[in-house]
Each structure stands twice: as structure tokens, then as C-alpha cells.
Amino acid sequence: MAALELSCKAFLNRHQRGNEKFFELGKVVLLFQKCMEKMSGKLRFRWTGPYWIISVENGTFKLGTLIGEILQQKVNDFRLKSY
């Protein structure tokens, strides 16, 4: 049983390495709009942006527009993707 658990853990670790997201200060990202999930239709924009990452605090990110305005909400990394 222990060998099976070890092999499953090794498999998952090997395949999760490429899926990690690394966001740093100053990186340009797109933001997923959660309110758009409720709207129906194929032709809708789910990702908005681009935004700059201004600060990182305990796994949450504060974003700003390219013009210099700062967004009020803080977002988690699962709502971001690289631009």
C-alpha cells in the first residue's frame, strides 16, 4: 500500500510542476471576471486587462491599470493569468 501511495505522489508531483503560476511585482496579467460566469452566450469577454501587479500580501495581489489607477479589490492567483 505504501508503494502505491508513493508512486501516486511522485506522479502528481511530476505533472504539477509545469502548472505552477509565478506572479511577481510589475508583471502584466489578465483578470478573470467572476460576474461574467452568470451571463450566457459564447461571445463574451471573461478576461479583462491588462493590469500591473502592484503589491503581494499573503497570496493576494493588488492590481493597477496601465494608466496608473489602482483597483480596490485584492485578487487571488487563480483569477489571474499571464498576459
Side-chain angles (χ1 to χ4, degrees), residues 1 10 12 18-19 21 25-26 39 42 49 54 57 61 63-65 70-74 76 78:
M1 184 73 170
L12 290 174
N19 297 332
K21 296 180 183 179
L25 291 177
M39 297 176 69
K42 290 190 237 180
I54 295 176
E57 300 172 4
F61 297 91
L63 303 177
T65 61
I70 297 174
L71 298 180
Q72 294 178 358
Q73 63 183 1
K74 294 180 182 178
N76 290 326
F78 65 85

Side-chain angles (χ1 to χ4, degrees), residues 50-77:
Y51 297 105
W52 291 99
I53 295 179
I54 295 176
S55 67
V56 180
E57 300 172 4
N58 298 328
T60 60
F61 297 91
K62 192 138 182 110
L63 303 177
T65 61
L66 299 178
I67 300 170
E69 301 172 1
I70 297 174
L71 298 180
Q72 294 178 358
Q73 63 183 1
K74 294 180 182 178
V75 295
N76 290 326
D77 64 345

Side-chain angles (χ1 to χ4, degrees), residues 3 6 22 29-31 33-34 38 58 63 68 70 79:
L6 180 63
F22 295 105
V29 295
L30 295 175
L31 175 65
Q33 291 294 331
K34 191 169 183 160
K38 298 175 185 174
N58 298 328
L63 303 177
I70 297 174
R79 289 186 57 200

